[in-house]
Amino acid sequence: MSKQQHEEKSIDSMRVDKWLWAARFFKTRSIAKAAIEGGKVHHNNERVKVSKDVRIGMELTIQQGIERKTVVVKALSSMRGPAPVAQQLYEETPVSIARRELIASQRKLHNLARPDHRPSKKDRRQINRFKQDNDQQFDQSWSYNDE
């Protein structure tokens, strides 16, 4: 058994900021600490403090940008390893995966509704002309100003 495996087996709990760093949710421990202090990490729907101990089986909700993940702690590691090893430290819940996929698909559909380019000067003139021709309030406001 290697030294790292022996250390991992003897750990019962560790600080949440260190675990988030080791599990590669955040690039540095200071960024993990700032996220925790900013209320981006929750356990049982309550904000977590930086010194909170993480144990195997705990469920954490982590918000990174616009994505929110709910993960179950599967293992503890005091060392930051490669990404495939870090992914073995946790398991994302099926509900969390489904929610993230749904939100991602909604974002993708929302982006498809946007035009490909900004209107040119000619396009803006046509839009304004169309609005003038079809907007009764616009016509009424012009008639009041003429008098």
Side-chain angles (χ1 to χ4, degrees), residues 8-57:
E8 289 178 8
K9 293 197 187 245
S10 65
I11 298 174
D12 292 334
S13 65
M14 64 187 305
R15 290 173 56 110
V16 68
D17 62 333
K18 193 168 186 178
W19 184 83
L20 289 169
W21 167 76
R24 292 185 164 264
F25 283 102
F26 299 101
K27 198 168 187 175
T28 65
R29 281 185 64 188
S30 61
I31 295 172
K33 179 183 175 200
I36 294 166
E37 290 172 346
K40 306 290 186 194
V41 181
H42 290 77
H43 171 63
N44 290 338
N45 294 325
E46 293 183 12
R47 285 174 66 162
V48 173
K49 291 187 179 179
V50 178
S51 60
K52 171 88 172 158
D53 282 341
V54 172
R55 290 180 168 69
I56 294 174

Side-chain angles (χ1 to χ4, degrees), residues 79-141:
M79 296 175 57
R80 183 179 170 103
V85 174
Q87 289 172 349
Q88 294 174 358
L89 298 179
Y90 64 91
E91 181 181 0
E92 189 172 2
T93 62
V95 174
S96 175
I97 294 170
R99 183 178 59 223
R100 282 191 316 112
E101 288 174 352
L102 175 67
I103 292 171
S105 66
Q106 287 175 344
R107 268 197 322 266
K108 191 177 283 186
L109 288 173
H110 180 70
N111 285 338
L112 291 176
R114 291 188 178 166
D116 294 336
H117 62 282
R118 290 181 56 187
S120 66
K121 190 170 184 177
K122 182 180 178 182
D123 294 336
R124 286 195 303 272
R125 285 187 189 135
Q126 289 175 340
I127 292 168
N128 288 336
R129 195 172 305 122
F130 178 80
K131 285 182 179 179
Q132 286 177 5
D133 293 344
N134 295 307
D135 190 8
Q136 294 175 355
Q137 291 178 347
F138 190 82
D139 291 337
Q140 290 174 357
S141 66

